[in-house]
Amino acid sequence: STSVFSSYIMCSDPLVSSVGSREESTFGAIARNPLVPTPRRTVAKTVIDAGSKSQGDTGLLVPTSVLKIDLLPKGEVGNIRKKNKGARELLANPNKLLYSDKLASECYLPDKRRKGKEYRGKVTGRGFKLGFYERPADDETQSVIPNRYRLKLRPQNIVSPNFEYCNYNSTGIWPGWDYPPSMPSAHGPSVLVLLYFVPTIKKVMMEHQFDERLYSSRTVDQVPTLSTELGFLFHNIDSISQSAMAYPGKEIKPHVGVFMPSSLLTAFKVMPEAINLALLDDNPAVAVTARRPEAFYRFFLHHLDKEAGITGGKPLDLLHGISFISINEFISGRGKPTVSKTRVLTLDLSYDPFLKARDATIKWRFGQILRYSLCRELRLRAWCKASKSYETVVQQKVATCLPEMLSIACSCAGRNDEGLAVWRTSFNDNSLWLPELVEVDLEDAGNIRVREQIDTRSNEKKWVNFEGDSCLSESITNLVNDHRESKNTKVRYRLEAVLSFVRSDSALVSSKQSLSGEAEGHHVLHIRVPPDYRKGALTKQRDYAEQLYNQLLNCDGDRKESHRMVLTSKTQQLVVRNRIEHIEKNLKAEQSNDWVLFNGFVVSPTSVEDARAFHVTFKEPCLVIYKATDAKPMNILSPARERKDVISVKNVMFSESISIRNPTKYASMTQSDFPGIGDIVALDAEFVSVQEEESILGDNGNKIVLRETRHALARISVIDCQTGNIIIDDHVVPREPVVDYLTRFSGIVPGDLDPKNSPYHLVTARTAYLKLRFLMERGCIFLGHGLSQDFLTVNLYVPPPQIIDTVEIYHKDRMRYVSLRFLTNYVLNRDMQQQVHDSVEDAKAAWELYKKATELKKEGLFDNFLEQLYQYGAKVEWSFGV
């Protein structure tokens, strides 16, 4: 017998249908509700009658003997292939059976619309040609959430460095985020990724990393906060992507990690403007969770443009700005019309006149909503001086200039709003409501014409016009024409990004019981990746993998002994060469699809049809971004500043202390005193808590975390292992109030981080980050114990070839990790951390452990020593003491 799959599974592109982790079923109920249109075929009645009715709707098992067809060519099964130690029976290729013409002709009714080879139903490397489907009538089938949309969280018992994020990232290039909903501003990462894929924004923000005012405590407060932090974040994303092929192990596939935007979101949290505008989660006036990305995005565009304007130019206004003219006129005709001009960076959709329409059978198109939002009319009551009474005022708000990127706030997610019903409109031709292409034309007399391209049942594209006669008076029409700008009055846009709110399963159930209240869920992002982004990222991956390959070639020589124990030192040269060839193959291959779905750390290729689908009840629109099809790159940076790509300003290491009681350190050091390529620096950091964990017990006794514990960097110490000099020993002022100094583990006490009372060299978190990044970009190798988690908290990504971790050196496969204190007791025969932790002491201990391991490896005694270490630890139950 053979399995005849449902129409969705058989005819859909594998990128869409094969979703989920390896442990989860990739099919199931999703087959009842495809989000992406597919060329649906009707199963023949003979097959349905022959199949068992109890098998459900995802598959049908039919004996081929009942159909009286032989799918197997003669001689294909039953042959025996001779082996040295036996024989194996040859089996038929199931793909040949599933997609054979013989099976299709017997199991499906003929489709008159299918003509030529392009409709043969085969899945190729470029994907399947999309057609149409019928939406299920049952609302319950539309509530099933596909795996790729479901929220996935890292298990709490697995720390981030030990979690295999690569199993959830099928792009091999773009990192997702690990920032659970219990964290503050959890809606922010999806917006930040959206900004990353806008070339102009990325270019401007990356430039702000090199502002020389960062390196002085006297001018650091003058540096734009969001722009700088966003530049650091974009650099972090680039670094993670670049190092995807530089990891220990034998695998060939990319290991793409994740970013955690805690530093940027902390800076956002303490901004007075964000507090005053009620943008923080704990503000009673904050918007519902589903719509917070709209306010977050609007706030970021405004402030990034404001901060960029400080240094000259307002690139975001040039990119996103929409000019409006507002005209207020009394309906009685008394008094002169008042005119005002406004400029916004986002357009809010308005549904009021469409929801008030008496005929409920009318199906509104996106172009109609967009047209009204660009030419809106409101009626208000205002005081008229001429009549000395309150009269009705007609306010006309008309767009006079169009942007290169049209950012649309959908203004309907999160509640059972009637605006959502408009987005879920279905048409007889089964076209998706959100168009991929729209065209806006600002005509004379204040009239605005919008055209949108829709799909037809015959796989053709058709343009639909939406226009109306101007109802403005002659005097107002003249005002509109006078204020209309000559450029950007007719623009054709293409869909570039869609940010959506995905309701949780419980929210879908509750939404049927109540028509009010805030829904629970999370946000996902569909993004069209710019063409040069993919090529640039793969090129950086290849170059870095080649650098690792050359490093491994020289490992046996006298170049740098330090390279022999980095995290990637055991990686075979042949494996790295295969990875390079894999990247080269991807560079040469044509990109069949440029859309990517970001859902936390689950990142997968998708299609524009998946982004446009909103007929399902679990998916609600938040932000929609269109870009002009004829847009040209904006040259907004000076050539001198464009060439910078590293933190090369030496003044970062000579930063002044912000503590009144302590003078500045390191004044006598010179640039040549700092370590460089291949030099080892021992690092240790201490942290304090800025947010305590909040949790409850569920009905089954499981712990449910409401708020995650958050830590902030409090002290950082770096030792140059070549000279033994302490080149960094700074206490760090957290941006947020400290709730627990963790003195037993950090050695930090109240007053140590107070600029007025601290006796230590005190710096900002931004300065501490820049110092570590300066050493990283100089090619230093960081040595420490459990460094990966430290780097995550600092928000700095250091590639594995630049890390020596003693927690990995003194570790046996599938055994527990050994603490620094126990290793110091057993290996170095001394105790440490008896009272409190000290970062300088811990860094020195890690350096001595490394030297001891190097000596044992040279003598060939390390493996036996490690075995004895684990035997002793098990004997004393890993308690302290020698």
Side-chain angles (χ1 to χ4, degrees):
S1 62
T2 183
S3 177
V4 182
F5 290 86
S6 68
S7 64
Y8 177 81
I9 298 173
M10 186 166 183
C11 297
S12 178
D13 191 329
L15 289 177
V16 180
S17 60
S18 297
V19 293
S21 65
R22 298 175 180 176
E23 294 77 20
E24 297 177 341
S25 172
T26 57
F27 303 110
I30 185 176
R32 300 174 60 191
N33 183 36
L35 288 184
V36 177
T38 61
R40 183 164 184 160
R41 303 191 66 180
T42 305
V43 178
K45 187 175 185 299
T46 55
V47 177
I48 298 177
D49 294 339
S52 172
K53 296 182 179 180
S54 61
Q55 295 181 66
D57 41 66
T58 59
L60 193 63
L61 196 63
V62 182
T64 55
S65 57
V66 177
L67 299 176
K68 298 181 180 180
I69 60 174
D70 185 11
L71 297 177
L72 305 177
K74 293 182 180 181
E76 184 163 343
V77 176
N79 294 335
I80 302 298
R81 177 176 294 175
K82 298 297 183 180
K83 291 284 185 179
N84 294 332
K85 296 183 180 181
R88 179 171 64 88
E89 182 179 355
L90 288 178
L91 299 178
N93 186 339
N95 291 321
K96 292 182 179 180
L97 301 180
L98 184 62
Y99 297 110
S100 66
D101 293 336
K102 184 182 294 186
L103 176 66
S105 62
E106 293 290 337
C107 298
Y108 294 101
L109 296 180
D111 191 340
K112 297 180 181 180
R113 291 185 291 109
R114 299 172 182 270
K115 299 179 181 180
K117 296 182 179 180
E118 63 179 322
Y119 289 102
R120 297 187 65 175
K122 293 185 178 180
V123 178
T124 66
R126 295 189 178 183
F128 199 89
K129 185 174 179 63
L130 298 176
F132 292 90
Y133 66 98
E134 300 290 340
R135 293 191 178 92
D138 185 3
D139 289 340
E140 292 185 2
T141 64
Q142 299 188 20
S143 300
V144 179
I145 304 178
N147 285 332
R148 66 183 180 280
Y149 282 98
R150 291 185 178 275
L151 175 65
K152 289 185 174 58
L153 300 175
R154 171 175 47 84
Q156 296 180 8
N157 61 334
I158 303 179
V159 295
S160 181
N162 297 335
F163 188 69
E164 295 291 340
Y165 293 106
C166 59
N167 294 333
Y168 299 88
N169 192 321
S170 53
T171 66
I173 304 176
W174 313 116
W177 61 85
D178 187 357
Y179 199 76
S182 56
M183 300 292 280
S185 301
H187 54 276
S190 56
V191 176
L192 301 177
V193 173
L194 169 59
L195 297 175
Y196 172 83
F197 283 102
V198 179
T200 301
I201 294 179
K202 181 184 177 183
K203 194 173 185 180
V204 174
M205 298 308 113
M206 294 290 280
E207 179 194 16
H208 279 281
Q209 301 177 94
F210 312 111
D211 195 320
E212 297 185 6
R213 292 174 295 177
L214 286 168
Y215 313 119
S216 172
S217 61
R218 299 177 182 178
T219 59
V220 68
D221 293 335
Q222 304 173 15
V223 180
T225 302
L226 291 183
S227 300
T228 305
E229 291 294 339
L230 196 58
F232 294 159
L233 177 65
F234 289 169
H235 173 270
N236 197 15
I237 294 175
D238 283 345
S239 300
I240 296 171
S241 175
Q242 172 183 286
S243 307
M245 285 295 195
Y247 60 90
K250 300 180 180 180
E251 295 185 62
I252 304 300
K253 72 172 187 178
H255 279 205
V256 184
V258 295
F259 68 91
M260 297 182 182
S262 53
S263 180
L264 185 147
L265 294 178
T266 298
F268 163 75
K269 182 180 179 181
V270 299
M271 291 184 67
E273 298 91 338
I275 299 173
N276 296 334
L277 293 174
L279 298 178
L280 305 184
D281 296 339
D282 53 0
N283 193 306
V286 68
V288 295
T289 303
R291 293 188 58 182
R292 287 177 193 174
E294 300 175 19
F296 187 85
Y297 179 76
R298 188 182 297 111
F299 178 85
F300 258 68
L301 286 187
H302 172 76
H303 273 269
L304 293 176
D305 193 61
K306 179 181 177 182
E307 292 177 355
I310 296 176
T311 56
K314 303 189 73 175
L316 274 70
D317 182 79
L318 296 175
L319 186 66
H320 293 270
I322 311 175
S323 297
F324 281 91
I325 178 174
S326 297
I327 306 169
N328 300 317
E329 185 178 30
F330 288 102
I331 198 170
S332 63
R334 299 176 180 176
K336 294 182 179 181
T338 60
V339 181
S340 61
K341 294 182 63 176
T342 57
R343 191 164 174 87
V344 298
L345 302 181
T346 58
L347 176 68
D348 295 335
L349 292 185
S350 179
Y351 309 92
D352 291 342
F354 306 96
L355 301 179
K356 296 176 182 178
R358 295 183 179 181
D359 190 353
T361 62
I362 298 178
K363 296 182 178 181
W364 305 106
R365 289 277 187 180
F366 174 82
Q368 294 170 289
I369 308 295
L370 178 60
R371 179 184 178 278
Y372 175 77
S373 301
L374 290 170
C375 183
R376 190 178 306 180
E377 178 181 302
L378 298 175
R379 291 179 179 264
L380 309 170
R381 298 285 292 178
W383 179 260
C384 179
K385 294 182 178 180
S387 63
K388 297 182 180 180
S389 63
Y390 283 97
E391 293 188 10
T392 301
V393 175
V394 178
Q395 183 184 74
Q396 300 282 351
K397 189 174 182 181
V398 184
T400 59
C401 179
L402 297 173
E404 179 180 309
M405 292 198 71
L406 180 60
S407 300
I408 299 175
C410 302
S411 308
C412 62
R415 300 185 182 275
N416 293 318
D417 192 281
E418 293 180 349
L420 284 175
V422 177
W423 281 78
R424 293 181 178 137
T425 301
S426 59
F427 301 97
N428 294 331
D429 59 3
N430 292 307
S431 59
L432 297 171
W433 190 80
L434 181 64
E436 182 178 7
L437 292 175
V438 294
E439 187 176 278
V440 182
D441 186 4
L442 306 182
E443 299 177 338
D444 294 335
N447 188 37
I448 295 179
R449 181 170 61 92
V450 175
R451 303 170 66 225
E452 71 172 76
Q453 189 182 78
I454 64 172
D455 308 313
T456 64
R457 188 178 291 274
S458 58
N459 285 334
E460 296 178 353
K461 303 293 185 181
K462 183 177 70 174
W463 286 91
V464 180
N465 295 325
F466 304 105
E467 56 185 332
D469 296 332
S470 176
C471 58
L472 302 179
S473 63
E474 182 178 355
S475 60
I476 295 182
T477 299
N478 294 333
L479 289 174
V480 173
N481 291 335
D482 291 340
H483 289 83
R484 188 182 302 278
E485 300 181 20
S486 59
K487 61 178 182 179
N488 295 342
T489 58
K490 184 177 181 179
V491 182
R492 176 173 291 185
Y493 293 101
R494 185 181 69 165
L495 186 65
E496 294 294 316
V498 179
L499 197 154
S500 309
F501 177 71
V502 177
R503 294 194 180 219
S504 62
D505 290 320
S506 59
L508 289 173
V509 175
S510 63
S511 65
K512 295 183 179 181
Q513 299 173 349
S514 174
L515 296 178
S516 62
E518 181 176 344
E520 296 180 355
H522 64 286
H523 295 90
V524 301
L525 173 69
H526 290 80
I527 191 78
R528 186 193 300 270
V529 178
D532 57 330
Y533 268 51
R534 179 178 180 274
K535 182 178 179 180
L538 288 174
T539 302
K540 290 180 178 179
Q541 281 189 5
R542 180 198 60 195
D543 294 345
Y544 197 81
E546 289 179 346
Q547 180 180 338
L548 173 61
Y549 181 77
N550 294 330
Q551 185 184 104
L552 293 173
L553 284 177
N554 297 323
C555 241
D556 297 330
D558 298 329
R559 182 189 177 199
K560 282 291 182 181
E561 185 179 344
S562 57
H563 290 301
R564 298 182 181 180
M565 298 188 71
V566 296
L567 295 182
T568 55
S569 59
K570 296 182 180 179
T571 306
Q572 298 179 2
Q573 298 174 16
L574 179 60
V575 172
V576 180
R577 173 50 56 189
N578 290 336
R579 293 176 185 173
I580 296 173
E581 293 176 355
H582 177 79
I583 300 174
E584 292 283 3
K585 183 178 179 181
N586 289 336
L587 276 170
K588 295 178 182 178
E590 294 184 6
Q591 188 176 4
S592 59
N593 201 341
D594 51 1
W595 280 86
V596 176
L597 171 61
F598 288 86
N599 180 15
F601 53 75
V602 181
V603 186
S604 55
T606 185
S607 65
V608 64
E609 287 79 12
D610 191 37
R612 294 167 56 199
F614 283 97
H615 60 280
V616 289
T617 57
F618 64 83
K619 185 183 176 190
E620 303 173 4
C622 297
L623 289 168
V624 174
I625 311 298
Y626 282 92
K627 184 178 181 180
T629 56
D630 60 349
K632 298 179 181 180
M634 299 176 62
N635 186 16
I636 53 178
L637 303 181
S638 62
R641 305 192 75 170
E642 286 184 44
R643 288 194 295 267
K644 287 189 176 182
D645 57 354
V646 295
I647 301 296
S648 57
V649 182
K650 65 179 182 180
N651 291 337
V652 65
M653 299 301 293
F654 304 106
S655 59
E656 301 171 347
S657 173
I658 60 176
S659 173
I660 298 176
R661 294 180 54 190
N662 189 274
T664 299
K665 288 185 179 181
Y666 323 122
S668 60
M669 300 182 67
T670 63
Q671 181 77 1
S672 59
D673 293 331
F674 294 105
I677 297 177
D679 293 334
I680 298 178
V681 292
L683 165 70
D684 191 73
E686 306 293 350
F687 302 92
V688 293
S689 177
V690 293
Q691 177 176 290
E692 295 180 343
E693 180 184 282
E694 293 184 9
S695 61
I696 59 174
L697 290 179
D699 296 336
N700 56 358
N702 291 339
K703 179 181 177 181
I704 302 175
V705 178
L706 302 179
R707 287 207 313 175
E708 299 273 351
T709 301
R710 288 192 297 115
H711 295 105
L713 182 65
R715 184 183 178 185
I716 187 168
S717 300
V718 178
I719 300 174
D720 184 354
C721 295
Q722 284 62 236
T723 63
N725 296 331
I726 301 175
I727 57 176
I728 300 177
D729 186 20
D730 296 339
H731 283 62
V732 184
V733 182
R735 288 191 174 99
E736 300 177 83
V738 178
V739 298
D740 190 347
Y741 284 90
L742 305 174
T743 303
R744 178 185 174 188
F745 306 104
S746 67
I748 306 295
V749 298
D752 288 353
L753 308 181
D754 184 357
K756 296 181 179 179
N757 301 314
S758 177
Y760 303 106
H761 188 266
L762 206 59
V763 298
T764 63
R766 187 181 295 174
T767 300
Y769 163 87
L770 288 171
K771 287 187 175 185
L772 291 180
R773 183 172 159 187
F774 173 78
L775 295 175
M776 185 267 291
E777 293 185 346
R778 282 178 63 87
C780 297
I781 296 178
F782 290 89
L783 165 69
H785 193 82
L787 288 179
S788 299
Q789 192 64 38
D790 292 350
F791 289 136
L792 280 174
T793 307
V794 178
N795 285 281
L796 176 68
Y797 180 80
V798 178
Q802 286 183 248
I803 297 177
I804 299 176
D805 203 329
T806 52
V807 78
E808 296 291 345
I809 294 175
Y810 291 91
H811 176 246
K812 287 187 63 177
D813 290 341
R814 300 184 180 182
M815 301 291 285
R816 62 167 289 167
Y817 288 97
V818 186
S819 69
L820 179 63
R821 184 177 180 186
F822 189 90
L823 286 175
T824 305
N825 272 260
Y826 184 83
V827 179
L828 304 180
N829 297 312
R830 72 167 189 264
D831 198 8
M832 64 177 298
Q833 301 174 353
Q834 296 180 1
Q835 300 297 326
V836 293
H837 283 236
D838 181 88
S839 54
V840 173
E841 181 186 10
D842 292 355
K844 290 180 178 179
W847 168 235
E848 293 179 42
L849 289 171
Y850 165 75
K851 291 192 294 183
K852 182 66 175 179
T854 302
E855 295 173 1
L856 292 171
K857 284 180 179 290
K858 286 182 178 180
E859 297 171 0
L861 303 175
F862 182 78
D863 292 339
N864 184 52
F865 181 84
L866 188 62
E867 182 67 30
Q868 295 177 3
L869 167 66
Y870 272 87
Q871 290 178 358
Y872 178 78
K875 179 180 178 180
V876 300
E877 297 181 348
W878 301 100
S879 59
F880 303 115
V882 179

